[in-house]
Amino acid sequence: MTIEEVFEVVRSSTAKVLDVDTSAMTLDGTLTDLGANSLDRADIVTQSMLELNVKVPAREFKGVTDIRSLVEVLRSQVS
């Protein structure tokens, strides 16, 4: 999958969890910028993994600070 395809999954998951307009969401932004708290961020990650049909160990998300790094971690697990 491309970065753009994984980003669209994350965007969709974010819209579902936060019930916000994600049209202005960018790879360089953060989920916190969109109003996500720590539980929301965990839900977005879980929803994204379900949609991508991947399981990513929590330790892989250490150092994830923006949407781009989140997308890269998820993308690295997609076959």
Side-chain angles (χ1 to χ4, degrees):
M1 287 186 102
T2 67
I3 289 173
E4 291 79 18
E5 290 169 324
V6 176
F7 175 62
E8 284 306 315
V9 170
V10 172
R11 182 193 305 256
S12 171
S13 296
T14 302
K16 289 175 187 172
V17 171
L18 297 179
D19 193 29
V20 296
D21 178 13
T22 58
S23 61
M25 185 174 166
T26 67
L27 285 168
D28 297 319
T30 68
L31 295 174
T32 304
D33 293 342
L34 298 169
N37 61 33
S38 59
L39 292 175
D40 295 331
R41 291 190 302 270
D43 287 345
I44 291 165
V45 168
T46 300
Q47 179 68 35
S48 297
M49 287 191 298
L50 287 171
E51 288 188 38
L52 293 167
N53 197 31
V54 297
K55 288 187 180 183
V56 183
R59 68 181 176 274
E60 296 295 321
F61 294 102
K62 184 178 180 185
V64 168
T65 58
D66 59 10
I67 295 169
R68 182 180 308 277
S69 54
L70 171 60
V71 167
E72 288 295 339
V73 169
L74 292 169
R75 185 172 175 246
S76 72
Q77 301 296 314
V78 177
S79 45

